[in-house]
Amino acid sequence: MFSMGQGAGYTAVLIVVQKWFPHRIGLASGVIIAGYGLTGFIFSPIETKFINPHNEKVNDDGYFTEENLLKRIPYMFLLIGGVTITMQIIGLTFVGSPRLTKEHGAKEEIPLKFIDVCKTSIVHICFTTLILNSTWYEIMSGLFKVYGEKFISDDFFLSIVDSMCSASNCISRIIWGLIVDKVGRLSKVHGSFMHYRFNSYVDFTFSQTYWE
């Protein structure tokens, strides 16, 4: 359900913003998806402070055992759900396609069948790139604290690390958007493909060997 909701919102917003800024698609898309990284920067310390306000440590097995801390976790899910719904409703009120005429540079859209789109090489490259990106991103963002708690007992510090990573994520999306506008979308796709292949290899190697 999370993936379905995320995918629908992600795709719809990008399609709309690209219609508003047809000559700066890279920058416009970069700014929009930068918000995805910005949320981690804002909410990671808030979530940590809410669940673990006294910076409790994990036990020798890597688990939190403090009773009050564990009781806050279900409320955290309710809080995240409420914030997400509120932000989605506010965001949807601002989503709308521009009303352009041919005099304003509007282009006639060419209808394509789903099967025809799936046969194109650019879709294959984009799909593979996103798989490489999303797999490692979801693994690292979901498990970095579990791994980090084995060596760093300060939960607040780990939340700050998460915030800094999210800030870097946010800024890099805007930078990549600017690069797209400069060098062209196709070159950017091929560059991203190699970039994520390299990052996946480095991340895996680092996680396996650094702490040994």
Side-chain angles (χ1 to χ4, degrees), residues 84-119:
T84 301
I85 291 174
T86 302
M87 294 178 67
Q88 289 280 10
I89 293 174
I90 294 173
L92 287 173
T93 61
F94 294 96
V95 176
S97 298
R99 297 179 179 178
L100 296 178
T101 62
K102 291 184 178 180
E103 289 76 13
H104 292 88
K107 296 181 179 180
E108 184 178 355
E109 295 185 359
I110 302 175
L112 293 174
K113 295 181 179 180
F114 176 77
I115 189 65
D116 294 330
V117 174
C118 293
K119 291 179 180 179

Side-chain angles (χ1 to χ4, degrees), residues 2 52 80 120 185-186 201:
F2 170 76
N52 190 9
I80 292 175
T120 60
R185 279 171 283 177
L186 188 59
Y201 172 77

Side-chain angles (χ1 to χ4, degrees), residues 100-161:
L100 296 178
T101 62
K102 291 184 178 180
E103 289 76 13
H104 292 88
K107 296 181 179 180
E108 184 178 355
E109 295 185 359
I110 302 175
L112 293 174
K113 295 181 179 180
F114 176 77
I115 189 65
D116 294 330
V117 174
C118 293
K119 291 179 180 179
T120 60
S121 60
I122 190 67
V123 169
H124 299 161
I125 295 172
C126 289
F127 182 82
T128 305
T129 301
L130 191 58
I131 286 291
L132 292 172
N133 176 26
S134 300
T135 300
W136 284 104
Y137 178 80
E138 296 299 334
I139 290 174
M140 288 188 293
S141 62
L143 298 178
F144 90 96
K145 266 197 173 185
V146 176
Y147 185 74
E149 292 281 1
K150 294 182 178 180
F151 313 97
I152 302 172
S153 59
D154 191 336
D155 201 26
F156 288 169
F157 174 78
L158 289 174
S159 71
I160 296 299
V161 171

